[in-house]
Amino acid sequence: MKIAAIIVSYNSARELPQSLGCLGALPVDHVVVVDNSSTDDSVEVAKSFGYPVISLPNVGFGKAINAAAETLPGADAYFLLNPDCHIDPESFAHLVEALRADPKLGVVAPLMRYPDGRFGISAGPEPSIAKEWLAALKVDHLVPRRLKQYLARATPLRKKFQMLEYLDVEPTGQVRETAWVSGFCMLVRAEAFRSIGGFDPRFFLYFEDVDLCTQLRASGWGVASVGTSVAEHKESTSTGAVGKNPLYRSGMYVYFAKHGTRGQRLLASALRRLPI
């Protein structure tokens, strides 16, 4: 399996050594960095590792990945890695093994772990507009973490309230099919990626990975979280200066405008206009 690694940078000079550094130990055939008009030394840092750089206007994540994929027609899979991520060879091997073992899988991703050891959300059920409103109103912050963890594992409750699956982030040691996996680190089968035309260019940042998985599943491809694979992630380093919430809500709105019911579209539109 020929694997091409793609990293999208935006003012990521400090983070790139982490991701580019780990790629040297991985069995990837090509590495391409796409720079979205960084004003720092991102391009120089990437070139210092000896990798080619594609410089673009700030087109967002999905368009940048699409541009890189077009230069890699011989790849069997694309390994997408955020600049602030690191994955070791063993965890990478588990991703490759999972994709190779099941020809029906279109994309796989590892678990997400923060520098302090906590696990983050790297996969989940179909998006819920109710969950988005609860998060925006910060109602979920009122629930103790231990109670959240219990609810995520309480099978009857989990089946009744699908959004509880978001809370189940601890390692399982299993390859688990899911509705979506996070684009922070994912291995995408090139055939599957090309079959749906890649990322939808209407998404600038956030929800483009969820949309990709939705499109893949609609086309008959599987989506899976690999519980034996873990990638370290600092999270949101490229969006800190502009603020996460406006970009997140914009992506959320595009997603529900594309896939949601009329009611979901109205609620997503109202949430997008809600003061930050």
Side-chain angles (χ1 to χ4, degrees), residues 228-251:
T228 55
S229 178
V230 178
E232 302 285 344
H233 184 32
K234 287 177 64 177
E235 191 177 49
S236 299
T237 58
S238 66
T239 58
V242 293
K244 177 178 177 178
N245 283 345
L247 290 171
Y248 181 89
R249 290 185 185 179
S250 177

Side-chain angles (χ1 to χ4, degrees), residues 50-217:
Y51 298 131
V53 177
I54 299 174
S55 295
L56 297 176
N58 192 359
V59 296
F61 180 79
K63 278 188 178 181
I65 295 294
N66 290 347
E70 288 179 2
T71 70
L72 302 161
D76 297 311
Y78 305 118
F79 180 55
L80 313 185
L81 187 67
N82 275 15
D84 58 341
C85 287
H86 177 279
I87 188 168
D88 63 39
E90 182 178 1
S91 284
F92 181 77
H94 287 308
L95 294 180
V96 176
E97 180 183 354
L99 199 67
R100 183 181 286 131
D102 187 349
K104 294 182 180 180
L105 279 180
V107 58
V108 294
L111 303 180
M112 178 193 298
R113 186 168 58 202
Y114 299 128
D116 64 3
R118 291 181 301 114
F119 282 86
I121 297 172
S122 58
E126 292 185 11
S128 161
I129 193 64
K131 170 199 166 292
E132 299 301 334
W133 270 94
L134 288 173
L137 297 174
K138 299 184 178 179
V139 174
D140 57 334
H141 291 178
L142 301 177
V143 182
R145 184 179 179 184
R146 288 188 178 181
L147 178 56
K148 288 181 180 180
Q149 292 173 336
Y150 167 75
L151 292 174
R153 289 169 174 74
T155 304
L157 288 173
R158 179 169 170 162
K159 289 182 178 180
K160 187 174 182 180
F161 301 103
Q162 192 180 39
M163 72 180 71
L164 290 174
E165 291 183 34
Y166 280 98
L167 307 177
D168 190 8
V169 297
E170 297 300 321
T172 63
Q174 301 174 343
V175 176
R176 183 177 64 181
E177 290 227 26
T178 185
W180 61 267
V181 290
S182 172
F184 89 106
C185 178
M186 58 165 54
L187 184 64
V188 190
R189 193 181 303 275
E191 178 188 355
F193 187 83
R194 295 170 188 146
S195 73
I196 61 171
F199 284 101
D200 187 331
R202 288 177 289 181
F203 293 85
F204 180 77
L205 193 64
Y206 294 109
F207 278 84
E208 70 286 307
D209 46 4
V210 182
D211 175 72
L212 181 83
C213 293
T214 299
Q215 291 189 82
L216 287 172
R217 290 191 298 114

